[in-house]
Amino acid sequence: MSAFAPPLAPRAMAQSTALSSDRVFQTAAKNLYPRLALLEALLGFKDGHKRREGPGDEICEARRDFLDSFAYLCDVEKGGATVTAAGLQKLPLSNLLWLAANEGIRKDIELYAENIRQKLMEANLETQEAIQDDIFRLAVEKCKSRIEFYKDEMQKYAKKCRMRLKHETRDEIVRSLRSRLKKLSEPPPSMTLAALVDHCYALRGEQVDKIKEKSKDPEDDFSKLAHYIGRLGATRSSANAIVRSMLKVPALRRISGIRTINAPNRREVTIDREYMSPYEIVWAICKDSTSQNPMQIESALHAMVDLDFPMNGEIRKGLASRKSIVTRVHAELQVADRFSRDQYMEFVDGDRYVGCSKPACYFCYSWLSSHRHQYTLPATHHKIILGCRGPDSSINEAGAVILKEMYGKICIGLDQDVLDFLLNSEHGGTQHRRQYMSTEGSSRAPSRISARLFNDTTQ
């Protein structure tokens, strides 16, 4: 969100503002969510993973690494609730680290983050490794539930891969790989969770590449094993990264404190079945299209009919099954909104970058791409997630106008993406992808249009 006027103080004016922003959202929702749901059904992921915008200089890249990695260490649970974003504010004599999470920064996570910050202040070349280990141990303890999930998945796929290798010719490569997989599938009782994470961190690179070489399909057991090894190693990688960055970037050593952003409440949107027919959605998109090319309109409508043939109708069934969508303002949009509203808040070195524990989803990437403040574009996994909305807390009438403009831009881009798919794919016959939303690990795997795409998904 950009250039909102400060929140109104009088109660009557604040009440009027709330109604104004609510009307903007409700109006936008009628177009936004049916079309977003259709694109999710058609694609799942718009594109593959994309790295954050660059290039920056060495200091800039180290600072961005710090923000991404610090946010990752604060994302302590599996799922979307604790997905965390971070921004670095410049002050005259110091700097502030701002944190936000999809469902708010809990008090215990705020204390944990401050503990990490204080340890970072003690880092120098002599204490670097010790500080990295201290922060790593803190993170393993705090993120235990998430790491345990990755561990269970990794062990499951390591066992499956060992069984598959059992049927291959026993050359030196296969024997060596089976030996490594045995340790992963059956860690010795004496191996602590931290030791397992370090073991997986050490495997990344050449060893994981050898596992990937055995993959015949992007969604097979070897690909999934490589992914979960990467996820387990990410905690050690992030702990090391924030200490390295702290030693390299003077601005990070001037962080005097951490501030948190109160997450906007969840908002449930009721979906009118009248707006959820795939053919009618495409018809409305074509009607709103600026090109109004009769041949393209006819082709798009025919493609939608072919994709949702009456004898099958999975897309129609999936869309019709949606009664409501629970929306949240994702963490990176909360941080961007906080900086945009206050004309006196500046990013360090003018680098308008918001770090995040996960790459941006389709909606958030589109929002930041359309932002008049020209944010540095983050990495994105391009996952189409329905439960997203723009920042809309405590805004005045001018802010509501901007909110309306932003939703308009998102819908224009969304319409074009739906049409591009229908017009450029042979009746939807392109190779769809199912991929991970995480930053490490193998990320691409084939998918198909099916009812499972309609399950509620969180970031």
Coordinates of all heavy atoms in Angstrom, one line a residue, residues 310-397:
P310 N -18.4 -31.1 -20.0 CA -19.5 -31.5 -19.1 C -19.4 -32.9 -18.6 O -19.8 -33.2 -17.5 CB -20.7 -31.3 -20.0 CG -20.3 -30.3 -21.0 CD -18.9 -30.5 -21.3
M311 N -18.8 -33.8 -19.3 CA -18.6 -35.2 -18.8 C -17.6 -35.3 -17.7 O -17.5 -36.3 -17.0 CB -18.2 -36.1 -20.0 CG -19.2 -36.2 -21.1 SD -20.8 -36.8 -20.6 CE -20.3 -38.5 -20.2
N312 N -16.8 -34.2 -17.6 CA -15.8 -34.2 -16.5 C -16.2 -33.1 -15.5 O -16.6 -33.4 -14.4 CB -14.4 -34.0 -17.1 CG -13.3 -34.0 -16.1 OD1 -13.5 -34.2 -14.9 ND2 -12.1 -33.9 -16.6
G313 N -16.0 -31.9 -15.9 CA -16.5 -30.8 -15.0 C -15.8 -30.6 -13.7 O -16.4 -30.1 -12.8
E314 N -14.5 -31.0 -13.6 CA -13.8 -30.9 -12.3 C -13.6 -29.5 -11.9 O -13.7 -29.2 -10.7 CB -12.5 -31.7 -12.4 CG -12.6 -33.2 -12.4 CD -11.2 -33.8 -12.3 OE1 -10.2 -33.1 -12.3 OE2 -11.2 -35.1 -12.2
I315 N -13.3 -28.6 -12.8 CA -13.1 -27.2 -12.5 C -14.4 -26.6 -11.9 O -14.4 -26.0 -10.9 CB -12.6 -26.4 -13.7 CG1 -11.2 -27.0 -14.2 CG2 -12.5 -25.0 -13.4 CD1 -10.7 -26.3 -15.4
R316 N -15.5 -26.8 -12.6 CA -16.8 -26.3 -12.2 C -17.1 -26.8 -10.8 O -17.6 -26.1 -9.9 CB -17.9 -26.7 -13.2 CG -19.2 -26.1 -12.9 CD -20.2 -26.5 -14.0 NE -19.8 -25.9 -15.2 CZ -20.2 -24.7 -15.7 NH1 -21.0 -24.0 -14.9 NH2 -19.8 -24.2 -16.8
K317 N -16.9 -28.1 -10.6 CA -17.3 -28.7 -9.3 C -16.4 -28.1 -8.2 O -16.9 -27.8 -7.1 CB -17.1 -30.2 -9.3 CG -18.1 -31.0 -10.2 CD -17.7 -32.5 -10.3 CE -18.6 -33.2 -11.3 NZ -18.1 -34.6 -11.5
G318 N -15.1 -27.9 -8.5 CA -14.2 -27.4 -7.5 C -14.6 -26.0 -7.1 O -14.6 -25.6 -5.9
L319 N -14.9 -25.1 -8.1 CA -15.2 -23.8 -7.8 C -16.6 -23.7 -7.1 O -16.7 -22.9 -6.1 CB -15.3 -23.0 -9.1 CG -14.0 -22.7 -9.9 CD1 -14.3 -22.0 -11.2 CD2 -13.1 -21.9 -9.1
A320 N -17.5 -24.5 -7.5 CA -18.8 -24.5 -6.8 C -18.8 -24.9 -5.4 O -19.6 -24.6 -4.6 CB -19.8 -25.4 -7.6
S321 N -17.8 -25.7 -5.1 CA -17.7 -26.2 -3.7 C -17.2 -25.2 -2.7 O -17.3 -25.4 -1.5 CB -16.7 -27.4 -3.6 OG -15.4 -27.0 -3.9
R322 N -16.7 -24.1 -3.2 CA -16.2 -23.0 -2.3 C -17.4 -22.2 -1.8 O -18.1 -21.5 -2.5 CB -15.2 -22.1 -3.0 CG -13.9 -22.8 -3.3 CD -12.8 -21.8 -3.6 NE -11.5 -22.5 -3.8 CZ -10.7 -22.8 -2.8 NH1 -11.1 -22.6 -1.6 NH2 -9.6 -23.4 -3.1
K323 N -17.5 -22.2 -0.5 CA -18.6 -21.4 0.2 C -18.0 -20.1 0.7 O -18.7 -19.1 0.6 CB -19.2 -22.2 1.4 CG -19.7 -23.6 1.0 CD -21.1 -23.4 0.3 CE -21.8 -24.8 0.2 NZ -21.1 -25.8 -0.6
S324 N -16.7 -20.1 1.1 CA -16.1 -18.9 1.6 C -14.6 -19.1 1.6 O -14.1 -20.2 1.4 CB -16.6 -18.7 3.1 OG -16.1 -19.7 3.9
I325 N -13.9 -17.9 1.7 CA -12.5 -17.9 1.8 C -12.0 -17.1 2.9 O -12.5 -15.9 3.1 CB -11.9 -17.3 0.5 CG1 -12.3 -18.2 -0.7 CG2 -10.4 -17.2 0.5 CD1 -11.9 -17.5 -2.1
V326 N -11.1 -17.6 3.8 CA -10.6 -16.8 4.9 C -9.3 -16.1 4.4 O -8.4 -16.8 3.9 CB -10.3 -17.7 6.1 CG1 -9.7 -16.9 7.2 CG2 -11.6 -18.4 6.6
T327 N -9.3 -14.8 4.5 CA -8.2 -14.0 4.0 C -7.3 -13.4 5.1 O -7.8 -13.2 6.2 CB -8.7 -12.9 3.1 OG1 -9.4 -11.9 3.9 CG2 -9.6 -13.4 2.0
R328 N -6.0 -13.3 4.8 CA -5.1 -12.6 5.7 C -4.3 -11.7 4.9 O -4.1 -11.8 3.6 CB -4.2 -13.7 6.3 CG -4.8 -14.7 7.2 CD -3.9 -15.7 7.8 NE -3.2 -16.5 6.8 CZ -2.5 -17.6 7.1 NH1 -2.4 -18.0 8.3 NH2 -1.9 -18.3 6.2
V329 N -3.7 -10.7 5.5 CA -2.7 -9.8 4.9 C -1.3 -10.4 5.2 O -0.9 -10.6 6.4 CB -2.7 -8.4 5.5 CG1 -1.7 -7.5 4.9 CG2 -4.1 -7.8 5.3
H330 N -0.7 -10.9 4.2 CA 0.6 -11.6 4.4 C 1.7 -10.7 4.9 O 1.6 -9.5 4.7 CB 1.0 -12.2 3.0 CG 0.3 -13.5 2.7 ND1 0.5 -14.2 1.5 CD2 -0.7 -14.2 3.4 CE1 -0.3 -15.3 1.5 NE2 -1.0 -15.3 2.6
A331 N 2.6 -11.3 5.6 CA 3.6 -10.6 6.4 C 4.4 -9.5 5.6 O 4.6 -8.4 6.1 CB 4.6 -11.6 7.0
E332 N 4.8 -9.9 4.3 CA 5.6 -8.9 3.6 C 4.8 -7.7 3.2 O 5.3 -6.6 3.1 CB 6.2 -9.6 2.3 CG 5.2 -10.2 1.4 CD 5.0 -11.7 1.6 OE1 4.6 -12.0 2.8 OE2 5.3 -12.5 0.7
L333 N 3.5 -7.8 3.0 CA 2.7 -6.7 2.7 C 2.4 -5.8 3.9 O 2.3 -4.6 3.8 CB 1.3 -7.1 2.1 CG 1.4 -7.9 0.8 CD1 0.0 -8.0 0.2 CD2 2.3 -7.2 -0.2
Q334 N 2.4 -6.4 5.1 CA 2.3 -5.7 6.3 C 3.5 -4.8 6.5 O 3.4 -3.6 6.9 CB 2.2 -6.6 7.5 CG 1.0 -7.5 7.6 CD 1.0 -8.4 8.8 OE1 1.4 -8.0 9.9 NE2 0.6 -9.6 8.6
V335 N 4.7 -5.3 6.3 CA 5.9 -4.5 6.4 C 6.0 -3.4 5.4 O 6.3 -2.2 5.7 CB 7.2 -5.4 6.3 CG1 8.5 -4.5 6.3 CG2 7.2 -6.4 7.5
A336 N 5.7 -3.7 4.1 CA 5.7 -2.7 3.1 C 4.7 -1.6 3.4 O 4.9 -0.4 3.2 CB 5.3 -3.4 1.7
D337 N 3.5 -2.0 3.9 CA 2.5 -1.0 4.3 C 2.9 -0.1 5.4 O 2.7 1.1 5.4 CB 1.2 -1.8 4.7 CG 0.1 -0.9 5.1 OD1 -0.3 0.0 4.2 OD2 -0.5 -1.0 6.2
R338 N 3.6 -0.7 6.4 CA 4.1 0.1 7.5 C 5.0 1.2 7.1 O 5.0 2.4 7.5 CB 4.7 -0.8 8.6 CG 5.2 0.0 9.8 CD 4.0 0.5 10.6 NE 4.5 1.2 11.8 CZ 4.8 2.5 11.8 NH1 4.8 3.2 10.6 NH2 5.2 3.1 12.9
F339 N 6.0 0.9 6.2 CA 6.9 1.8 5.7 C 6.3 2.8 4.8 O 6.6 4.0 4.7 CB 8.1 1.1 5.0 CG 9.2 0.6 5.9 CD1 9.0 -0.5 6.6 CD2 10.3 1.4 6.0 CE1 10.0 -1.0 7.4 CE2 11.4 0.9 6.8 CZ 11.2 -0.3 7.5
S340 N 5.3 2.4 4.0 CA 4.7 3.3 3.0 C 3.8 4.4 3.7 O 3.7 5.5 3.1 CB 3.8 2.5 2.0 OG 4.6 1.5 1.3
R341 N 3.2 4.0 4.8 CA 2.3 5.0 5.4 C 3.0 6.2 6.1 O 2.4 7.2 6.2 CB 1.4 4.3 6.5 CG 0.4 3.3 5.9 CD -0.6 2.9 7.0 NE -1.4 1.8 6.6 CZ -2.7 1.7 7.0 NH1 -3.2 2.6 7.8 NH2 -3.3 0.6 6.6
D342 N 4.2 6.0 6.5 CA 4.9 7.0 7.2 C 6.0 7.6 6.4 O 7.0 6.9 6.0 CB 5.6 6.3 8.5 CG 6.1 7.4 9.5 OD1 6.4 8.5 9.0 OD2 6.3 7.0 10.7
Q343 N 5.8 8.8 6.0 CA 6.8 9.5 5.1 C 8.2 9.7 5.7 O 9.2 9.9 5.0 CB 6.3 10.9 4.7 CG 6.0 11.9 5.8 CD 5.5 13.2 5.4 OE1 6.0 13.7 4.3 NE2 4.6 13.8 6.1
Y344 N 8.2 9.5 7.1 CA 9.5 9.7 7.7 C 10.3 8.4 7.9 O 11.4 8.4 8.4 CB 9.3 10.4 9.1 CG 8.7 11.8 9.0 CD1 7.4 12.0 9.4 CD2 9.5 12.8 8.5 CE1 6.8 13.2 9.3 CE2 8.9 14.1 8.4 CZ 7.6 14.3 8.7 OH 7.0 15.5 8.6
M345 N 9.7 7.3 7.6 CA 10.3 6.0 7.7 C 11.2 5.7 6.4 O 10.6 5.8 5.3 CB 9.3 4.9 7.9 CG 8.8 4.8 9.3 SD 7.7 3.4 9.6 CE 8.9 2.0 9.7
E346 N 12.4 5.5 6.6 CA 13.3 5.2 5.5 C 14.0 3.9 5.6 O 14.3 3.4 6.7 CB 14.5 6.3 5.4 CG 14.0 7.7 5.2 CD 15.2 8.6 5.1 OE1 16.2 8.3 4.5 OE2 15.2 9.7 5.8
F347 N 14.2 3.2 4.5 CA 14.9 2.0 4.5 C 16.4 2.3 4.5 O 16.9 3.3 4.0 CB 14.6 1.2 3.2 CG 13.3 0.4 3.2 CD1 12.2 1.1 2.8 CD2 13.2 -0.9 3.7 CE1 11.0 0.4 2.8 CE2 12.0 -1.5 3.7 CZ 10.9 -0.9 3.3
V348 N 17.2 1.4 5.2 CA 18.7 1.6 5.2 C 19.2 1.6 3.8 O 18.9 0.7 3.0 CB 19.3 0.5 6.0 CG1 20.8 0.5 5.8 CG2 19.0 0.7 7.5
D349 N 20.0 2.6 3.5 CA 20.6 2.8 2.2 C 19.6 2.9 1.0 O 19.9 2.7 -0.1 CB 21.6 1.6 1.8 CG 22.8 1.6 2.7 OD1 23.1 2.7 3.3 OD2 23.5 0.6 2.8
G350 N 18.4 3.3 1.4 CA 17.3 3.4 0.4 C 16.9 2.2 -0.3 O 16.3 2.2 -1.4
D351 N 17.3 1.0 0.2 CA 17.0 -0.3 -0.4 C 15.7 -0.7 0.0 O 15.5 -1.3 1.1 CB 18.1 -1.3 -0.1 CG 17.9 -2.7 -0.8 OD1 17.2 -2.7 -1.8 OD2 18.3 -3.7 -0.2
R352 N 14.7 -0.6 -0.8 CA 13.3 -0.9 -0.4 C 13.0 -2.4 -0.5 O 12.2 -2.8 -1.4 CB 12.3 -0.1 -1.2 CG 12.6 1.5 -1.2 CD 11.5 2.2 -1.9 NE 10.2 2.1 -1.2 CZ 9.8 2.8 -0.1 NH1 10.7 3.6 0.4 NH2 8.6 2.6 0.4
Y353 N 13.7 -3.1 0.3 CA 13.6 -4.6 0.3 C 13.0 -5.1 1.6 O 13.4 -4.7 2.7 CB 15.0 -5.2 0.1 CG 14.9 -6.7 0.0 CD1 14.4 -7.4 -1.1 CD2 15.3 -7.5 1.1 CE1 14.3 -8.8 -1.2 CE2 15.2 -8.9 1.0 CZ 14.7 -9.5 -0.1 OH 14.6 -10.9 -0.2
V354 N 12.0 -6.0 1.4 CA 11.4 -6.6 2.6 C 11.8 -8.1 2.5 O 11.4 -8.8 1.6 CB 9.8 -6.5 2.5 CG1 9.2 -7.2 3.7 CG2 9.4 -5.0 2.5
G355 N 12.5 -8.5 3.5 CA 12.9 -9.9 3.6 C 11.7 -10.8 4.1 O 10.8 -10.3 4.8
C356 N 11.8 -12.1 3.7 CA 10.7 -12.9 4.2 C 11.2 -14.4 4.3 O 12.1 -14.8 3.7 CB 9.5 -12.9 3.2 SG 8.0 -13.6 3.8
S357 N 10.5 -15.1 5.2 CA 10.9 -16.5 5.5 C 10.6 -17.4 4.3 O 11.1 -18.5 4.2 CB 10.3 -17.0 6.8 OG 8.9 -16.9 6.7
K358 N 9.7 -17.0 3.5 CA 9.3 -17.8 2.3 C 9.2 -16.8 1.1 O 8.9 -15.6 1.3 CB 7.9 -18.5 2.4 CG 8.0 -19.7 3.3 CD 6.6 -20.4 3.2 CE 6.7 -21.7 4.0 NZ 5.4 -22.4 4.0
P359 N 9.5 -17.3 -0.1 CA 9.3 -16.5 -1.3 C 7.8 -16.0 -1.4 O 6.9 -16.7 -0.8 CB 9.6 -17.4 -2.5 CG 10.5 -18.4 -1.9 CD 10.0 -18.6 -0.5
A360 N 7.6 -14.9 -2.1 CA 6.2 -14.4 -2.1 C 5.3 -15.2 -3.0 O 5.8 -15.9 -3.9 CB 6.3 -13.0 -2.7
C361 N 4.1 -15.2 -2.6 CA 3.0 -15.9 -3.4 C 2.7 -15.0 -4.6 O 3.1 -13.9 -4.8 CB 1.8 -16.2 -2.6 SG 0.8 -14.8 -2.1
Y362 N 1.9 -15.6 -5.5 CA 1.4 -14.9 -6.7 C 0.8 -13.5 -6.4 O 1.2 -12.5 -7.0 CB 0.4 -15.7 -7.5 CG -0.3 -15.1 -8.6 CD1 0.3 -15.1 -9.9 CD2 -1.5 -14.4 -8.4 CE1 -0.4 -14.4 -11.0 CE2 -2.2 -13.8 -9.5 CZ -1.6 -13.8 -10.7 OH -2.2 -13.2 -11.8
F363 N -0.1 -13.5 -5.4 CA -0.8 -12.2 -5.0 C 0.2 -11.2 -4.5 O 0.2 -10.1 -4.9 CB -1.9 -12.5 -4.0 CG -2.7 -11.3 -3.6 CD1 -3.8 -11.0 -4.2 CD2 -2.2 -10.5 -2.5 CE1 -4.5 -9.8 -3.9 CE2 -3.0 -9.4 -2.1 CZ -4.1 -9.1 -2.8
C364 N 1.0 -11.6 -3.5 CA 2.0 -10.6 -2.9 C 3.0 -10.1 -3.9 O 3.4 -8.9 -3.9 CB 2.6 -11.3 -1.7 SG 1.5 -11.6 -0.3
Y365 N 3.5 -11.0 -4.8 CA 4.4 -10.6 -5.8 C 3.8 -9.6 -6.7 O 4.4 -8.5 -7.1 CB 5.0 -11.8 -6.6 CG 6.1 -11.5 -7.5 CD1 7.4 -11.4 -7.0 CD2 5.9 -11.3 -8.8 CE1 8.5 -11.1 -7.8 CE2 7.0 -11.0 -9.7 CZ 8.3 -10.9 -9.2 OH 9.3 -10.6 -10.0
S366 N 2.5 -9.8 -7.1 CA 1.8 -8.9 -8.0 C 1.6 -7.6 -7.3 O 1.7 -6.5 -7.9 CB 0.5 -9.5 -8.4 OG 0.7 -10.7 -9.1
W367 N 1.3 -7.6 -6.0 CA 1.0 -6.4 -5.2 C 2.3 -5.6 -5.2 O 2.2 -4.3 -5.5 CB 0.5 -6.8 -3.8 CG 0.0 -5.6 -3.1 CD1 0.7 -4.7 -2.3 CD2 -1.4 -5.3 -2.9 NE1 -0.2 -3.8 -1.7 CE2 -1.5 -4.1 -2.1 CE3 -2.6 -5.8 -3.4 CZ2 -2.7 -3.5 -1.8 CZ3 -3.8 -5.2 -3.1 CH2 -3.8 -4.0 -2.3
L368 N 3.4 -6.2 -4.8 CA 4.6 -5.4 -4.7 C 5.1 -4.9 -6.1 O 5.7 -3.9 -6.2 CB 5.7 -6.3 -4.0 CG 5.5 -6.6 -2.6 CD1 6.5 -7.6 -2.1 CD2 5.5 -5.3 -1.7
S369 N 4.8 -5.7 -7.1 CA 5.2 -5.3 -8.5 C 4.5 -4.1 -8.9 O 5.0 -3.3 -9.7 CB 5.0 -6.5 -9.5 OG 5.7 -7.6 -9.2
S370 N 3.2 -3.9 -8.4 CA 2.4 -2.8 -8.8 C 2.5 -1.6 -7.9 O 1.9 -0.6 -8.2 CB 0.9 -3.3 -8.8 OG 0.7 -4.4 -9.7
H371 N 3.3 -1.7 -6.9 CA 3.3 -0.7 -5.8 C 4.0 0.5 -6.3 O 5.1 0.5 -6.9 CB 4.1 -1.3 -4.6 CG 3.8 -0.6 -3.3 ND1 4.0 0.7 -3.0 CD2 3.1 -1.1 -2.2 CE1 3.6 0.9 -1.8 NE2 3.1 -0.1 -1.3
R372 N 3.4 1.7 -6.1 CA 4.0 2.9 -6.5 C 5.3 3.3 -5.8 O 6.0 4.1 -6.3 CB 3.0 4.1 -6.4 CG 2.6 4.4 -4.9 CD 1.7 5.7 -4.8 NE 0.4 5.4 -5.5 CZ -0.5 6.4 -5.5 NH1 -0.3 7.6 -5.0 NH2 -1.7 6.1 -6.1
H373 N 5.6 2.7 -4.7 CA 6.8 2.9 -4.0 C 8.0 2.1 -4.6 O 9.1 2.2 -4.1 CB 6.7 2.7 -2.5 CG 6.1 3.8 -1.8 ND1 6.4 4.2 -0.5 CD2 5.1 4.7 -2.2 CE1 5.7 5.3 -0.2 NE2 4.9 5.6 -1.2
Q374 N 7.7 1.3 -5.6 CA 8.7 0.6 -6.3 C 9.7 -0.3 -5.4 O 10.9 -0.1 -5.3 CB 9.6 1.5 -7.2 CG 8.7 2.2 -8.2 CD 9.6 3.2 -9.1 OE1 10.5 3.8 -8.6 NE2 9.2 3.2 -10.4
Y375 N 9.0 -1.2 -4.7 CA 9.8 -2.1 -3.8 C 10.7 -3.0 -4.6 O 10.4 -3.4 -5.7 CB 8.9 -2.9 -2.9 CG 8.3 -2.1 -1.8 CD1 7.1 -1.5 -1.9 CD2 9.1 -2.0 -0.6 CE1 6.6 -0.7 -0.8 CE2 8.6 -1.3 0.5 CZ 7.4 -0.6 0.4 OH 6.9 0.1 1.4
T376 N 11.9 -3.3 -4.0 CA 12.7 -4.3 -4.6 C 11.9 -5.7 -4.6 O 11.4 -6.1 -3.6 CB 14.0 -4.5 -3.8 OG1 14.7 -3.3 -3.8 CG2 14.9 -5.6 -4.4
L377 N 11.9 -6.3 -5.8 CA 11.0 -7.5 -5.9 C 11.7 -8.6 -5.2 O 12.9 -8.9 -5.3 CB 10.8 -7.8 -7.3 CG 9.9 -6.8 -8.1 CD1 9.7 -7.2 -9.5 CD2 8.6 -6.6 -7.4
P378 N 10.9 -9.4 -4.3 CA 11.5 -10.5 -3.6 C 11.5 -11.7 -4.4 O 11.1 -11.8 -5.6 CB 10.4 -10.7 -2.5 CG 9.1 -10.3 -3.1 CD 9.5 -9.2 -4.1
A379 N 12.1 -12.8 -3.9 CA 11.9 -14.1 -4.5 C 10.5 -14.5 -4.5 O 9.7 -14.0 -3.7 CB 12.8 -15.1 -3.8
T380 N 10.1 -15.3 -5.5 CA 8.7 -15.8 -5.5 C 8.6 -17.2 -5.9 O 9.4 -17.7 -6.7 CB 7.8 -14.9 -6.5 OG1 6.5 -15.5 -6.5 CG2 8.4 -14.9 -7.9
H381 N 7.6 -17.9 -5.3 CA 7.4 -19.3 -5.7 C 6.2 -19.4 -6.6 O 5.8 -20.4 -7.2 CB 7.1 -20.2 -4.5 CG 6.1 -19.7 -3.5 ND1 4.8 -19.5 -3.8 CD2 6.2 -19.4 -2.2 CE1 4.1 -19.1 -2.8 NE2 4.9 -19.0 -1.8
H382 N 5.5 -18.2 -6.8 CA 4.4 -18.0 -7.8 C 3.2 -18.9 -7.5 O 2.4 -19.2 -8.3 CB 4.9 -18.3 -9.2 CG 5.5 -17.1 -9.8 ND1 6.7 -17.2 -10.5 CD2 5.1 -15.8 -9.9 CE1 7.1 -16.0 -10.9 NE2 6.1 -15.1 -10.6
K383 N 3.1 -19.4 -6.2 CA 2.0 -20.2 -5.8 C 0.7 -19.3 -5.8 O 0.8 -18.2 -5.2 CB 2.2 -20.8 -4.5 CG 1.0 -21.5 -3.9 CD 0.6 -22.8 -4.6 CE -0.6 -23.5 -3.9 NZ -1.0 -24.7 -4.7
I384 N -0.4 -19.7 -6.4 CA -1.6 -19.0 -6.4 C -2.4 -19.4 -5.1 O -2.9 -20.5 -5.0 CB -2.4 -19.2 -7.6 CG1 -1.6 -18.8 -8.8 CG2 -3.7 -18.5 -7.6 CD1 -2.1 -19.4 -10.1
I385 N -2.4 -18.5 -4.1 CA -3.0 -18.7 -2.8 C -4.2 -17.8 -2.7 O -4.1 -16.6 -3.0 CB -2.0 -18.4 -1.7 CG1 -0.9 -19.4 -1.7 CG2 -2.7 -18.5 -0.3 CD1 0.2 -19.1 -0.7
L386 N -5.4 -18.4 -2.4 CA -6.6 -17.6 -2.4 C -6.8 -16.7 -1.2 O -7.3 -15.6 -1.3 CB -7.8 -18.5 -2.5 CG -8.0 -19.4 -3.7 CD1 -9.3 -20.1 -3.7 CD2 -8.0 -18.5 -5.0
G387 N -6.3 -17.1 -0.1 CA -6.6 -16.4 1.2 C -5.7 -15.2 1.4 O -5.1 -15.0 2.5
C388 N -5.6 -14.3 0.4 CA -4.7 -13.1 0.5 C -5.6 -11.9 0.3 O -6.6 -11.9 -0.4 CB -3.6 -13.1 -0.6 SG -2.6 -14.5 -0.6
R389 N -5.2 -10.8 0.9 CA -5.8 -9.5 0.6 C -4.8 -8.4 0.9 O -3.8 -8.6 1.5 CB -7.1 -9.3 1.4 CG -6.9 -9.0 2.9 CD -8.2 -8.6 3.6 NE -8.0 -8.0 4.9 CZ -7.9 -8.7 6.0 NH1 -7.8 -10.0 6.0 NH2 -7.7 -8.0 7.2
G390 N -5.1 -7.2 0.4 CA -4.2 -6.1 0.6 C -4.4 -5.5 2.0 O -5.4 -5.7 2.7
P391 N -3.4 -4.7 2.5 CA -3.4 -4.1 3.8 C -4.6 -3.1 3.8 O -4.7 -2.2 3.0 CB -2.1 -3.4 3.9 CG -1.2 -4.1 2.9 CD -2.1 -4.5 1.8
D392 N -5.4 -3.2 4.9 CA -6.6 -2.4 4.9 C -7.0 -1.9 6.3 O -8.2 -1.6 6.5 CB -7.8 -3.1 4.2 CG -8.0 -4.5 4.8 OD1 -7.4 -4.8 5.9 OD2 -8.8 -5.3 4.2
S393 N -6.1 -1.9 7.2 CA -6.4 -1.5 8.6 C -6.3 0.0 8.8 O -5.3 0.6 8.4 CB -5.5 -2.2 9.6 OG -5.7 -3.6 9.5
S394 N -7.3 0.6 9.4 CA -7.2 2.0 9.8 C -6.8 2.9 8.7 O -5.9 3.8 8.9 CB -6.3 2.1 11.0 OG -6.6 1.3 12.1
I395 N -7.4 2.9 7.6 CA -7.1 3.8 6.5 C -8.2 4.8 6.3 O -9.4 4.5 6.6 CB -6.8 3.0 5.2 CG1 -8.0 2.2 4.7 CG2 -5.6 2.1 5.3 CD1 -7.9 1.6 3.4
N396 N -7.8 6.0 5.8 CA -8.8 7.0 5.6 C -9.3 7.0 4.2 O -9.0 6.0 3.4 CB -8.2 8.4 5.9 CG -6.9 8.7 5.1 OD1 -6.7 8.1 4.1 ND2 -6.1 9.6 5.6
E397 N -10.1 8.0 3.8 CA -10.7 7.9 2.4 C -9.6 7.9 1.3 O -9.8 7.3 0.3 CB -11.6 9.1 2.3 CG -12.9 9.0 3.1 CD -13.9 10.1 2.9 OE1 -13.7 10.8 1.9 OE2 -14.8 10.2 3.6

